Amino acid sequence: MLIKYFAWIKNITSCDQENLDSKKLKTIDDLKIHLNTKYPDLKKHIDKDTLRFAINQEYLSENKKIYKNDEIAIFPPVSGG
Amino acid sequence: MIKIQKEDFNIEVEIELIKSSLPSVGAVTSFIGYVRDFNNNKNVNSINLEVYEKMVHKELTKITVKAKQKWELIDCLIIHRHGYLEVNEKIVLVACFAKHRQESFNACNYIMNYLKKYAPFWKKENYTNNSEWLENTN
């Protein structure tokens, strides 16, 4: 599955997107645990629930199942306009 | 109509492009957002606007459909730029076309408020000595 990062999150991940092995990641909560381990500097933001998640360009409001062809975006609260 | 682009735009030309084929429109309300020179107690030199293009089209389409149904708009136009912008440059245009003014006022405000909360853009301000990503204040 494709994970996309935006804004200052890219400074932590050192990339704007990556493909993750979907076999062990069944839900968004699984993904959060995985990211907390892979990117320790992201953990405090994920734990404080300050980041937004979108699956296939739809905002996420609860833990959901994720699938291998999903595009999951992680970003801070938006600041356009 | 939704346009997400790097290039600057001419407000009158864009509005007239739509208005000229809609003789039943009696009212157009527009909002234009600009890059300001001072924010968070700092002098701003320029900004960089990042966008999640696939998602922004979905989100803005969603809100324009809702606004059209809620206020019987005849049409609406959103232009939002991204990339590098300097102070005084235009960032965004929202224009709502309706028979009467109240619908166009209400819809323009509604769309702009939604855009500020949900449209996937992120603004980084560039100061003399550093840059900062803005936090959402909405």
Side-chain angles (χ1 to χ4, degrees), chain B residues 5 9 11 16 20 27 34 36 44 55 60 71 85-86 91 96-97 102 104 107 112 115 121 123-124 127 136:
Chain B
Q5 61 192 49
F9 53 86
I11 300 161
E16 191 52 29
S20 57
Y34 291 84
R36 287 187 292 127
V44 177
M55 185 167 175
L60 295 181
W71 287 288
L85 302 179
E86 297 199 334
I91 301 171
C96 293
F97 302 75
Q102 203 55 56
S104 71
M112 203 49 221
L115 187 153
F121 291 97
K123 203 177 282 172
K124 183 165 70 173
Y127 314 113
N136 185 315

Side-chain angles (χ1 to χ4, degrees), chain A residues 3-59:
Chain A
I3 315 297
K4 292 178 80 83
Y5 305 110
F6 292 90
W8 50 260
I9 294 173
K10 294 185 297 186
N11 296 341
I12 295 174
T13 60
S14 300
C15 64
D16 59 5
Q17 65 180 48
E18 59 182 324
N19 280 297
L20 294 183
D21 183 356
S22 58
K23 291 193 201 75
K24 292 181 182 171
L25 304 175
K26 302 292 181 198
T27 66
I28 284 291
D29 280 356
D30 290 342
L31 177 62
K32 286 180 182 179
I33 293 167
H34 174 83
L35 292 176
N36 282 347
T37 308
K38 188 170 183 180
Y39 304 113
D41 287 343
L42 209 50
K43 186 178 185 317
K44 66 179 178 224
H45 302 288
I46 290 178
D47 288 349
K48 274 199 285 185
D49 208 25
T50 50
L51 300 183
R52 302 288 174 264
F53 287 74
I55 300 179
N56 302 325
Q57 302 90 47
E58 297 284 342
Y59 274 104

Side-chain angles (χ1 to χ4, degrees), chain A residues 10 56 59 71 76 78-79 81, chain B residues 52 80 118 121-123 136:
Chain A
K10 294 185 297 186
N56 302 325
Y59 274 104
E71 176 175 295
V78 302
S79 52
Chain B
Y52 183 10
H80 200 304
Y118 296 110
F121 291 97
W122 298 274
K123 203 177 282 172
N136 185 315

Side-chain angles (χ1 to χ4, degrees), chain B residues 36-46 87 125-128 130:
Chain B
R36 287 187 292 127
D37 62 353
F38 194 78
N39 193 38
N40 289 340
N41 292 318
K42 291 179 197 170
N43 292 314
V44 177
N45 295 329
S46 60
V87 166
E125 284 183 339
N126 302 315
Y127 314 113
T128 306
N130 66 316

